Amino acid sequence: MQRRNFLGLGAGLLAARSARAAQGHIEIFVDEPIGTISPDLHGHFTEHIGGVIYDGIWVGEGSKIPNVGGIRSALIDAMRALKTTVVRWPGGCFADSYDWRDGIGPRAQRPRRANFWINDPFMVKAPDGPQKYEPNQFGTNEFGRFCRLIGAQPYLAANLRSLPPKDLYEWIEYCNAPAGQSSLADARAAQGDRDPFGVRFWGVGNESWGCGGDFAPDEYAVEYRRYTAWLPKFGVDLALVGSGPNGGDIDWTRRFFAKFTEKGTNALRKMYGWALHYYCGTSGAGQAIDFTVDDWYSLLAKATRMEPLITDHWAAMGEIDTEHRVKLIVDEWGAWHRAGTEVHPAYLFGQTPTMRDALISALTLDTFHRHADKVVMANVAQLINNLHCLFLAREDKFIVTPNYHVFALYAAHHGAQAVRTIFAAPAHSVRDGDQQRRLAGLAGSASLKGKTLVLTVVNTDAGQPLETEIALRGASAKSARVSTLADADIHAHNSFAQPDAVQVREGNIASPGSAFTFRIPAASVNRLVLELE
Ligand code: AHR
């Protein structure tokens, strides 16, 4: 059962009114900047797992499904609309078993290999196909082209478990060296990509505490130094990413940074970001579509653990990296539901996102915005036919999920200055196993670019709207456009049969001024775009 209590999150104006008044308050301090919201915070992740690559992104050049050079056209169009700036590939756990040389050269001559995930009990039961036996039809050139087609930068995860450092610097050479100057660059050009891909982001392994080598943190620190001791630049400002902690594993962060800098803090120059992974799982929280109201609150509360994870790891990093030269990255996040809603029996971790997942997307992106001074990139896992996906595809069928709508709405924050904002509303007290967690009734973020103020806000209440006062401190608005993603049913989702079941609705608030009231629908994600006077 949920208990409700009123928690005023800020001092002054936002004092509690009454224990039963279902009211919310939002106060936006337009003169109190936090940091620039990098569009990279809305990045994506694509792994050779289940239906992400084969059928999701790659349909093949000869396919009857509309494609651009083998890449699904509908996906390209939808991604362009999101203005995505970065996509991670090829894993995930797959990355540490991947030989990038398997995925280059004429496609007909590329080898087939057992996929990393072939032993997963789900895959053992799955029919044979490219999900089990990797055909390498989608490799570095194809991924580079996908990124070019959608206007995003590639973020490649290197294999630290089963390839030597030489492969990392040769992969960089293959991607970034000028054609005509190096045999590897010529091999790239021979596949049709004369212009270098200019790959800046390189992950030095993935989950090196687990599938990426099962290292202890100090062992991984030594490997990280070895793999990054020399890398060719070709004029690209390489941004190297360390395999950070699994959720709340502070020991991994502390011990890594201690060992990494044992020869001096100059080592910190070799790392752009430290990549945390956090999934809110479904244990005790039903399945993707079939869940109770208690499951709703429980999973949303788990998703909000992202905030203490960011602040805790940031503090631990700061014990050694006192100037915070290294920033945080969250290159895998999302809800991880039990199997049962995948669109094909070989699509490992495939799931059908609902409104609950949309709220998790919004709560998480808002958290990143509020910590825009610490987090420089995040990659939701995964793009299509997988965990927390934005798209579902099966052959010629292709739909967007509620998560897609959140990313589309939140793109309005790109490049804007996050500003301090206080949200206050009755909170939910949620039981999670032996623990009692608190879920804020309202949560969100605000940002300012020129005269445009964007407020995004989530009402986590499964059944009650919130009459909310919104106060602008230091500004007044002449207009407000409102976009709301909501549905009377918290289980609402799109399907191939009903592709537009979940939709965004638009409205306006006339003359908002410096304070106005907005009734925030139950279980909703909202974006207000305010034009300041
Ligand atoms: O996203 C699925 C898997 O989750 C990734 O391969 C791995 O990095 C993580 O454990």
Side-chain angles (χ1 to χ4, degrees), residues 45 47 49 88 91-94 116-117 206-207 209 211 277 279 332 336 349 381-382 386-387:
F45 170 40
E47 178 170 3
I49 182 174
R88 181 173 182 245
C93 291
F94 177 87
F116 170 86
W117 295 99
N206 166 76
E207 298 197 347
W209 38 263
C211 62
H277 286 185
Y279 290 96
E332 291 188 27
W336 192 316
F349 303 150
Q382 301 195 13
N386 205 264
L387 307 168

